[in-house]
Amino acid sequence: MRINAQILIVEDEAAQQAVLAYNLTSAGYETVQAVDGDKALQLIEEQLPDLILLDWMLPGTSGIEICRQLKVRKDTQAIPIIMLSARSEELDKVRGLETGADDYLQKPYGIQELLARIKLQLKRTRPATMGAELQHDDLRMDTETQRVWYADREITLGRREYALLLALIEQPGKVFKRVTLLDQVWGREFDGETRTVDVHIGRLRKVLSQFGAEDVIRTVRGSGYALY
Ligand code: CA
């Protein structure tokens, strides 16, 4: 199972929305779509996307305002935002306003250009989705071939256990809430209980300990799990 990055497209023009969704899906991304700012914020509450394409001119809350809000929120400020705007004056304004957007593109832009900019952002924030090799102490994961090693011995993991470990290794030391792991590994459509996470963490620990990797995953009481 390849872990695909999820991109939220916020664009009020149906034709542009469709073109973006089509091209991003073809490039291997999962997409979520919003036609206005309020819907975008609502989707973000449900699940944090890995990247946001944000149109400047939107009905209701503007793209600029959404960008500002997200960049001051602790849980959303690290999500890369690429602003899309129709005119160069708007683009100048976006830059001048220091909204905290990570990148800007002026319409009409080439899809290859957009895909390149997206890649650049995700390589930084979600290396696990970009086929990178991740390492933490003796633990190593190749996200391209989906192979895992501990102290150079290869480990075979179930698909959920693999995805859990991948989430944890991307940000070692970070405490992941069960509900976050549930979203990230099982997806937002999954209507399961957080207890499911405990079961699979248990399985993952068991396999790791067979390879001498004891206490790699720490339980943080009342919060969740972290890689140590
Ligand atoms: Ca628009």
Side-chain angles (χ1 to χ4, degrees), residues 11-13 55 57:
E11 167 64 72
D12 59 314
E13 281 148 63
D55 184 24
M57 290 296 272

Side-chain angles (χ1 to χ4, degrees), residues 159-174:
R159 98 181 231 264
R160 300 298 190 196
E161 287 72 39
Y162 173 85
L164 276 171
L165 189 59
L166 197 56
L168 297 171
I169 202 173
E170 244 188 343
Q171 290 167 281
K174 180 189 164 175

Side-chain angles (χ1 to χ4, degrees), residues 127-128 131-157 161-170 172 204 207-208 211-213 216 227-228:
E133 189 169 292
L134 303 174
Q135 183 148 17
H136 178 69
D137 293 335
D138 283 338
L139 200 58
R140 190 157 57 89
M141 300 182 82
D142 182 341
T143 62
E144 191 66 61
T145 57
Q146 295 172 29
R147 294 170 75 189
V148 185
W149 298 266
Y150 185 79
D152 291 330
R153 284 172 70 201
E154 188 161 3
I155 301 178
T156 307
L157 294 174
E161 287 72 39
Y162 173 85
L164 276 171
L165 189 59
L166 197 56
L168 297 171
I169 202 173
E170 244 188 343
L204 177 57
V207 178
L208 289 172
F211 285 80
V216 173
L227 193 72
Y228 275 83

